[in-house]
Amino acid sequence: MEAGANQRSLAIRERVLGREHPDVATSLNNLALLYSQMSQYPQAITLYQRSLAIREQVFGREHPNVGLSLNNLGHLYQSMGQHAQAMPFLQRSLSIYETAYGSAHPSVATSLNNIAEVLTDPQVLARNMLVTVDDPVMGRQRMPGNPIKLSAF
């Protein structure tokens, strides 16, 4: 895989449209996806976060495009095995999609599927990582916690 075309697209859009344009966010998202597929996770995270920040600024925190960025970040953390970090992004994405589209939309289904994948991940289940937390917005939620294992040396 080659990031050159995506990087060039990003550079053109930034130069012509400005660094905070929604199309720049799209280019950042596309480049982040490519880096994710190449297992270059730190670069992917940085680009997804920048895309998210632009979309929140341009569209507002509850817009479906923000939901897409949140879902992408959550899915990236999920693929990295960082389940506790993935869940807040995935849950917020789900909330945005349900508010914007209702409960029977394909984007809602995608978010639910990603959450289910985290909750049923063999690593999460084998390590007994699920905890129940009280979220002020979403109520009682089951989500992966960060297990701490202490062992004697």
Side-chain angles (χ1 to χ4, degrees):
M1 285 182 244
E2 176 63 40
N6 290 87
Q7 290 169 333
R8 186 171 173 212
S9 170
L10 174 60
I12 292 169
R13 285 181 171 175
E14 285 180 326
R15 186 176 63 252
V16 174
L17 302 172
R19 292 181 50 85
E20 304 301 318
H21 193 277
D23 289 349
V24 170
T26 299
S27 288
L28 289 164
N29 185 78
N30 293 343
L31 186 55
L33 176 61
L34 182 60
Y35 281 135
S36 174
Q37 292 169 343
M38 295 169 31
S39 300
Q40 295 182 11
Y41 300 125
Q43 296 92 327
I45 290 169
T46 299
L47 295 171
Y48 275 142
Q49 288 172 335
R50 186 167 162 226
S51 176
L52 172 61
I54 292 169
R55 287 175 172 169
E56 284 181 329
Q57 180 183 359
V58 171
F59 299 120
R61 292 181 47 84
E62 302 303 316
H63 192 275
N65 285 348
V66 171
L68 175 63
S69 288
L70 292 165
N71 184 71
N72 291 344
L73 261 169
H75 193 263
L76 176 61
Y77 281 116
Q78 174 187 347
S79 67
M80 294 168 57
Q82 297 181 12
H83 307 293
Q85 289 85 351
M87 284 299 285
F89 293 110
L90 296 174
Q91 288 174 322
R92 186 169 159 221
S93 174
L94 173 63
S95 176
I96 289 170
Y97 286 150
E98 285 180 326
T99 300
Y101 300 133
S103 61
H105 190 272
S107 294
V108 171
T110 297
S111 288
L112 288 169
N113 185 60
N114 289 342
I115 290 170
E117 285 181 18
V118 170
L119 296 176
T120 59
D121 184 274
Q123 178 187 21
V124 171
L125 297 174
R127 298 173 86 194
N128 197 25
M129 293 172 62
L130 293 178
V131 296
T132 301
V133 296
D134 290 317
D135 183 275
V137 175
M138 300 187 68
R140 266 178 109 62
Q141 299 287 313
R142 298 266 299 155
M143 63 187 316
N146 286 321
I148 299 174
K149 294 187 177 181
L150 302 175
S151 60
F153 290 86

